[in-house]
Amino acid sequence: MATLAGWGYQFGPARTSYSAYSESQLALLRQEAMAPVQGDRVESDITLGMLDDEQRRRLLVLWGLPLALVLGVAAWFAPRSHFSFGRNKNEEARLAAHLGNASAEMAAERRQAAATLLGVTPNAPASVIEAAFQAQLKERDRSRYDGVAVDLVRVAEEQREQLRRARDYLLQRRR
C-alpha cells in the first residue's frame, strides 16, 4: 500500500503543485500563509491545507516505502506453515476418505440404475446383459415408428441411447 502511495506521489494523481518545492520553500510558504493578511483569509486557509497535505504525502513516502520493503522481506522469509490458515492435514485425509466412499456409493447407485433400465441384476453375466439389451432394442426398433410423430421417434431414439449407455456401463468392468 505504501509502495502505491509512493508511486502516486512521484508519478500519479497525488502529485500537487507543491510537490516540486523543497522543505525550506514549503516552510517559507507556510510562514507567509500564517502571517496576518489584509485580504482574503479563505485563500490563506486553502494554501495551508494544501501545504499540510503535501507534508503528509512526504511523510508517507519517507516512512511508507521502507516499511513496505521490510514487511515484504519478512513475508518472503517467513515459514510457509504460518500461512496455512489453520488447515489440518488430518482433516484433508478425512475428506479424501469420505469422498472416496461417496464415489463408490454413487457408482453402485449408477450400476443399479443401469441394471434396472435393462431389466437385469447388477451382477448379471455379460451374456444376460447383452440379451436383455437386444430385447429392449427390438421393442424400440426404428421400423416400428414409420409414420409416427417426430417427437415420439425422438423419444424412442433417446431411449435406445440410454439403453446403449446402460449396457456399456454394466459391461465396462467385465472387459
Side-chain angles (χ1 to χ4, degrees):
M1 175 111 169
T3 304
L4 290 175
W7 177 86
Y9 174 75
Q10 290 297 326
F11 307 107
R15 198 166 169 87
T16 67
S17 57
Y18 293 117
S19 296
Y21 286 51
S22 69
E23 289 296 326
S24 60
Q25 290 172 326
L26 288 176
L28 182 62
L29 283 172
R30 178 176 291 287
Q31 283 178 353
E32 289 180 12
M34 293 178 71
V37 180
Q38 300 291 346
D40 192 8
R41 184 71 187 154
V42 174
E43 185 177 323
S44 178
D45 290 342
I46 292 173
T47 303
L48 281 173
M50 291 175 70
L51 288 169
D52 290 341
D53 289 345
E54 182 61 30
Q55 283 185 323
R56 271 190 233 108
R57 274 190 213 86
R58 288 182 183 203
L59 279 175
L60 179 64
V61 170
L62 180 67
W63 293 103
L65 289 176
L67 180 64
L69 182 65
V70 168
L71 290 175
V73 169
W76 180 263
F77 288 110
R80 300 292 181 238
S81 63
H82 286 87
F83 299 108
S84 66
F85 300 108
R87 252 192 253 156
N88 185 348
K89 293 177 184 164
N90 294 334
E91 191 67 28
E92 290 177 7
R94 280 185 16 191
L95 178 63
H98 176 72
L99 289 179
N101 293 341
S103 64
E105 290 171 8
M106 288 173 32
E109 288 175 8
R110 185 172 179 198
R111 189 164 182 70
Q112 179 62 44
T116 302
L117 185 63
L118 288 172
V120 297
T121 63
N123 298 328
S127 59
V128 172
I129 293 172
E130 190 62 43
F133 173 68
Q134 293 301 327
Q136 293 278 354
L137 282 184
K138 269 187 180 177
E139 289 180 18
R140 291 164 181 82
D141 190 39
R142 290 185 179 107
S143 63
R144 295 182 64 188
Y145 293 99
D146 290 338
V148 178
V150 176
D151 291 340
L152 291 177
V153 173
R154 189 177 311 124
V155 168
E157 287 299 320
E158 287 173 5
Q159 288 175 348
R160 288 172 63 93
E161 183 59 33
Q162 287 174 350
L163 288 169
R164 204 171 292 118
R165 278 192 248 130
R167 179 209 49 192
D168 292 346
Y169 186 75
L170 289 174
L171 293 178
Q172 77 181 356
R173 298 192 184 218
R174 292 184 167 70
R175 292 179 184 160

